[in-house]
Amino acid sequence: MLVERDKRVSSLLERLEMPIFKERWPWIGGDLQTLRDTFGNEHLPEDKGDPLEIPIPELPSAAAGPGYLLAFFDKPIEIENMRGIVLLLHGLGGSSSRLGLRRMGVKLNEAGFGVLRLNLRGADPGRHLAGGTYSASCNSDLREVFITARRLCREFSGKGGKLKKDMPLLGAGISLGGTILLNACLVSDNLEDSDKPLLDALVCTSSPLDLCSCSASIQRPRNMVYQSWLLKRLIRQTLEDPFGLNLTEKDLLNNGLDGSGPIRTIRDFDAAITAPRWGYKSVDEYYIKASPLASILNQGRKLPRTLMMQSSDDPWVPVSGLLELENSIQSLKDGKIDLVITSRGGHNGFHGIGGCWGDLLVERWFAELGF
């Protein structure tokens, strides 16, 4: 299987004229690859994205009325030659302004794609526009996002007068953002009242396929600092809710599930906040039902053309989910899914010689599709 994987990956990389990934100094090892975008610096163009407010429904299980998601639309320089629009989603505790997400957006812009950077419910800088928080399966929030993105595809297809049909809508999800897009595509083949699919193609970078194993991984003693950092961001986003928290949520955040003190793990946060807000009876039910792996194995045909990439030394997300999918690749021989598993790269790192290898792979894979 290892030899077969290497042959498949090698063939894909050769087709895209991509080198094998090699770490660049000093970002050596999974942890430094993971942390590079947090502590590193990069000279990116000024953020001049056009803001869009996209309506979302009320979240019944939270103290929140209807609201809006804030997105930023980045247009390429040559609008008349735009090749498609990429809906770009951040990961857990992230936002549209995080370095890794912005850098990927800039790379896609330079390649001629329009980019719609979305802030999920509760994420900065759109925190004030909606109550509640997002989950790994927040399909009701994404419905209007897909409609808005398809409208942009229609609008900009006519700008240059060259395209006879709507330009493609592509998706790219970083970490949990990829999980969210996978779940959306697996639930619905196309938009309601439309023959258009949710996405024409999808890329998932370091995305959890099994939330149970991912939760267990982040709770390992070696990941104590990671978990503490992520948890602080999640709690801060939750406490800044413009609609406030209900009494039960406040009590659970302050006293924990067993009353012994503030919650200390992401699993406890999901048990106290995420699962009940999105209508799950328990955190275990949430993790099982919001994990896309089983659905991909059973109905991968519902996915658009998809690229999933992950590193074996990812300290946050176990590569086991992608390996299980790889072992079942015989049932996915319709060519819809490309898997790229590297030995190094960390969690959404892939910092190599000359820049971010992962961003280049995403750009070239989208470009090769040739819609």
Side-chain angles (χ1 to χ4, degrees):
M1 180 59 70
L2 182 60
V3 173
E4 291 176 5
R5 177 210 300 165
D6 289 343
K7 286 182 178 178
R8 281 199 305 272
V9 172
S10 176
S11 174
L12 174 63
L13 296 183
E14 286 178 7
R15 210 169 65 231
L16 300 179
E17 298 183 353
M18 289 281 300
I20 299 293
F21 172 68
K22 293 182 179 179
E23 302 167 313
R24 81 170 184 266
W25 191 88
W27 313 108
I28 305 300
D31 291 306
L32 289 180
Q33 282 280 320
T34 300
L35 294 169
R36 191 268 173 193
D37 282 344
T38 299
F39 297 108
N41 193 15
E42 205 147 334
H43 298 292
L44 296 177
E46 182 182 353
D47 189 344
K48 295 183 178 179
D50 296 331
L52 295 172
E53 294 184 5
I54 303 172
I56 52 175
E58 182 176 357
L59 192 59
S61 301
Y68 298 86
L69 299 183
L70 180 63
F72 292 93
F73 185 45
D74 305 315
K75 297 185 286 290
I77 294 176
E78 297 182 1
I79 296 177
E80 67 277 7
N81 294 320
M82 195 185 302
R83 305 165 74 173
I85 292 176
V86 181
L87 173 61
L88 187 52
L89 262 65
H90 60 80
L92 190 68
S95 74
S96 65
S97 59
R98 293 286 293 170
L99 174 58
L101 184 138
R102 277 217 62 221
R103 186 187 56 239
M104 183 182 289
V106 169
K107 185 69 175 177
L108 291 167
N109 256 174
E110 291 174 346
F113 294 97
V115 177
L116 187 63
R117 291 177 287 129
L118 182 69
N119 291 284
L120 294 163
R121 181 190 291 261
D124 295 328
R127 169 74 278 189
H128 62 291
L129 294 174
T133 44
Y134 55 90
S135 76
S137 184
C138 46
N139 300 328
S140 58
D141 278 3
L142 292 184
R143 181 181 182 278
E144 286 296 328
V145 174
F146 288 119
I147 291 173
T148 298
R150 282 291 180 188
R151 175 179 56 77
L152 289 172
C153 288
R154 290 194 300 273
E155 177 183 341
F156 283 93
S157 290
K159 292 293 183 182
K162 298 178 180 180
L163 295 176
K164 297 181 180 180
K165 60 180 181 179
D166 292 354
M167 65 177 60
L169 175 60
L170 314 171
I174 293 174
S175 192
L176 192 69
T179 308
I180 291 169
L181 290 175
L182 282 169
N183 280 328
C185 290
L186 288 164
V187 167
S188 177
D189 289 308
N190 52 269
L191 291 170
E192 295 178 19
D193 304 321
S194 172
D195 60 352
K196 294 290 185 181
L198 294 185
L199 295 169
D200 295 301
L202 169 62
V203 170
C204 301
T205 303
S206 304
S207 297
L209 301 181
D210 181 347
L211 298 181
C212 296
S213 63
C214 190
S215 174
S217 176
I218 203 68
Q219 285 191 217
R220 291 179 295 161
R222 75 168 313 279
N223 285 336
M224 180 176 61
V225 175
Y226 289 135
Q227 177 163 242
S228 177
W229 180 79
L230 286 168
L231 190 58
K232 285 179 181 178
R233 293 181 66 87
L234 293 173
I235 292 175
R236 178 178 58 79
Q237 287 180 349
T238 304
L239 293 176
E240 290 176 353
D241 194 321
F243 289 86
L245 283 71
N246 62 42
L247 293 177
T248 299
E249 291 173 336
K250 289 180 180 178
D251 178 63
L252 289 172
L253 283 179
N254 291 327
N255 301 310
L257 302 179
D258 58 2
S260 62
I263 59 173
R264 296 181 178 84
T265 68
I266 291 175
R267 179 185 174 85
D268 284 350
F269 176 87
D270 285 336
I273 302 295
T274 311
R277 281 185 168 182
W278 287 91
Y280 296 99
K281 296 177 182 178
S282 67
V283 68
D284 290 318
E285 182 186 52
Y286 165 53
Y287 283 168
I288 292 171
K289 290 187 175 180
S291 294
L293 179 58
S295 295
I296 296 172
L297 293 172
N298 292 329
Q299 49 185 354
R301 64 186 182 280
K302 295 189 71 173
L303 291 177
R305 282 293 307 275
T306 300
L307 168 66
M308 299 184 195
M309 56 185 295
Q310 189 175 347
S311 161
S312 296
D313 68 352
D314 187 326
W316 294 9
V317 178
V319 75
S320 56
L322 213 57
L323 291 174
E324 185 173 348
L325 182 57
E326 180 187 61
N327 290 335
S328 302
I329 203 71
Q330 294 300 320
S331 64
L332 302 169
K333 274 196 169 180
D334 53 8
K336 273 193 171 184
I337 300 177
D338 285 321
L339 305 180
V340 173
I341 302 174
T342 61
S343 59
R344 302 289 183 182
H347 182 73
N348 192 42
F350 306 106
H351 303 292
I353 298 172
C356 182
W357 182 89
D359 292 349
L360 181 62
L361 177 61
V362 172
E363 179 259 305
R364 291 194 178 178
W365 188 82
F366 277 146
E368 189 204 30
L369 297 180
F371 287 102

